[in-house]
PDB file of all heavy atoms in Angstrom:
ATOM      1  N   SER S 208     137.588 198.557 145.328  1.00  0.00           N
ATOM      2  CA  SER S 208     138.458 199.327 146.216  1.00  0.00           C
ATOM      3  C   SER S 208     138.587 198.584 147.540  1.00  0.00           C
ATOM      4  O   SER S 208     137.941 197.559 147.769  1.00  0.00           O
ATOM      5  CB  SER S 208     137.889 200.730 146.443  1.00  0.00           C
ATOM      6  OG  SER S 208     136.647 200.656 147.136  1.00  0.00           O
ATOM      7  N   ASP S 209     139.414 199.093 148.449  1.00  0.00           N
ATOM      8  CA  ASP S 209     139.624 198.438 149.744  1.00  0.00           C
ATOM      9  C   ASP S 209     138.323 198.323 150.531  1.00  0.00           C
ATOM     10  O   ASP S 209     138.062 197.306 151.179  1.00  0.00           O
ATOM     11  CB  ASP S 209     140.651 199.224 150.566  1.00  0.00           C
ATOM     12  CG  ASP S 209     141.987 199.334 149.845  1.00  0.00           C
ATOM     13  OD1 ASP S 209     142.381 198.348 149.201  1.00  0.00           O
ATOM     14  OD2 ASP S 209     142.610 200.400 149.911  1.00  0.00           O
ATOM     15  N   SER S 210     137.489 199.353 150.442  1.00  0.00           N
ATOM     16  CA  SER S 210     136.248 199.356 151.216  1.00  0.00           C
ATOM     17  C   SER S 210     135.205 198.400 150.658  1.00  0.00           C
ATOM     18  O   SER S 210     134.236 198.060 151.339  1.00  0.00           O
ATOM     19  CB  SER S 210     135.665 200.772 151.263  1.00  0.00           C
ATOM     20  OG  SER S 210     135.400 201.250 149.951  1.00  0.00           O
ATOM     21  N   ASP S 211     135.402 197.957 149.419  1.00  0.00           N
ATOM     22  CA  ASP S 211     134.435 197.042 148.801  1.00  0.00           C
ATOM     23  C   ASP S 211     134.661 195.593 149.207  1.00  0.00           C
ATOM     24  O   ASP S 211     133.850 194.726 148.884  1.00  0.00           O
ATOM     25  CB  ASP S 211     134.515 197.141 147.272  1.00  0.00           C
ATOM     26  CG  ASP S 211     134.170 198.535 146.779  1.00  0.00           C
ATOM     27  OD1 ASP S 211     133.279 199.163 147.371  1.00  0.00           O
ATOM     28  OD2 ASP S 211     134.807 199.003 145.814  1.00  0.00           O
ATOM     29  N   MET S 212     135.752 195.335 149.901  1.00  0.00           N
ATOM     30  CA  MET S 212     136.072 193.966 150.298  1.00  0.00           C
ATOM     31  C   MET S 212     136.244 193.909 151.812  1.00  0.00           C
ATOM     32  O   MET S 212     137.130 194.566 152.375  1.00  0.00           O
ATOM     33  CB  MET S 212     137.357 193.493 149.606  1.00  0.00           C
ATOM     34  CG  MET S 212     137.219 193.424 148.099  1.00  0.00           C
ATOM     35  SD  MET S 212     138.656 192.682 147.302  1.00  0.00           S
ATOM     36  CE  MET S 212     139.912 193.858 147.736  1.00  0.00           C
ATOM     37  N   GLY S 213     135.386 193.143 152.473  1.00  0.00           N
ATOM     38  CA  GLY S 213     135.489 192.998 153.921  1.00  0.00           C
ATOM     39  C   GLY S 213     136.685 192.139 154.321  1.00  0.00           C
ATOM     40  O   GLY S 213     137.328 191.502 153.477  1.00  0.00           O
ATOM     41  N   LYS S 214     136.956 192.105 155.615  1.00  0.00           N
ATOM     42  CA  LYS S 214     138.107 191.347 156.114  1.00  0.00           C
ATOM     43  C   LYS S 214     137.967 189.850 155.849  1.00  0.00           C
ATOM     44  O   LYS S 214     138.966 189.142 155.717  1.00  0.00           O
ATOM     45  CB  LYS S 214     138.287 191.603 157.605  1.00  0.00           C
ATOM     46  CG  LYS S 214     138.771 193.007 157.933  1.00  0.00           C
ATOM     47  CD  LYS S 214     139.009 193.152 159.424  1.00  0.00           C
ATOM     48  CE  LYS S 214     139.550 194.536 159.753  1.00  0.00           C
ATOM     49  NZ  LYS S 214     139.807 194.700 161.206  1.00  0.00           N
ATOM     50  N   ASN S 215     136.741 189.372 155.782  1.00  0.00           N
ATOM     51  CA  ASN S 215     136.524 187.927 155.640  1.00  0.00           C
ATOM     52  C   ASN S 215     136.013 187.530 154.251  1.00  0.00           C
ATOM     53  O   ASN S 215     135.472 186.441 154.078  1.00  0.00           O
ATOM     54  CB  ASN S 215     135.534 187.453 156.707  1.00  0.00           C
ATOM     55  CG  ASN S 215     136.060 187.686 158.108  1.00  0.00           C
ATOM     56  OD1 ASN S 215     137.239 187.484 158.376  1.00  0.00           O
ATOM     57  ND2 ASN S 215     135.183 188.130 159.006  1.00  0.00           N
ATOM     58  N   THR S 216     136.181 188.415 153.268  1.00  0.00           N
ATOM     59  CA  THR S 216     135.653 188.148 151.925  1.00  0.00           C
ATOM     60  C   THR S 216     136.177 186.833 151.362  1.00  0.00           C
ATOM     61  O   THR S 216     135.423 186.048 150.774  1.00  0.00           O
ATOM     62  CB  THR S 216     136.011 189.302 150.974  1.00  0.00           C
ATOM     63  OG1 THR S 216     135.387 190.497 151.445  1.00  0.00           O
ATOM     64  CG2 THR S 216     135.525 189.008 149.566  1.00  0.00           C
ATOM     65  N   PHE S 217     137.471 186.558 151.533  1.00  0.00           N
ATOM     66  CA  PHE S 217     138.084 185.383 150.922  1.00  0.00           C
ATOM     67  C   PHE S 217     138.413 184.285 151.941  1.00  0.00           C
ATOM     68  O   PHE S 217     139.022 183.276 151.579  1.00  0.00           O
ATOM     69  CB  PHE S 217     139.369 185.794 150.193  1.00  0.00           C
ATOM     70  CG  PHE S 217     139.187 186.932 149.227  1.00  0.00           C
ATOM     71  CD1 PHE S 217     139.713 188.187 149.496  1.00  0.00           C
ATOM     72  CD2 PHE S 217     138.478 186.749 148.050  1.00  0.00           C
ATOM     73  CE1 PHE S 217     139.546 189.238 148.614  1.00  0.00           C
ATOM     74  CE2 PHE S 217     138.296 187.795 147.154  1.00  0.00           C
ATOM     75  CZ  PHE S 217     138.824 189.048 147.431  1.00  0.00           C
TER      76      PHE S 217
END
Side-chain angles (χ1 to χ4, degrees):
S208 65
D209 301 322
S210 59
D211 298 323
M212 296 187 297
K214 290 184 178 181
N215 298 320
T216 297
F217 308 109

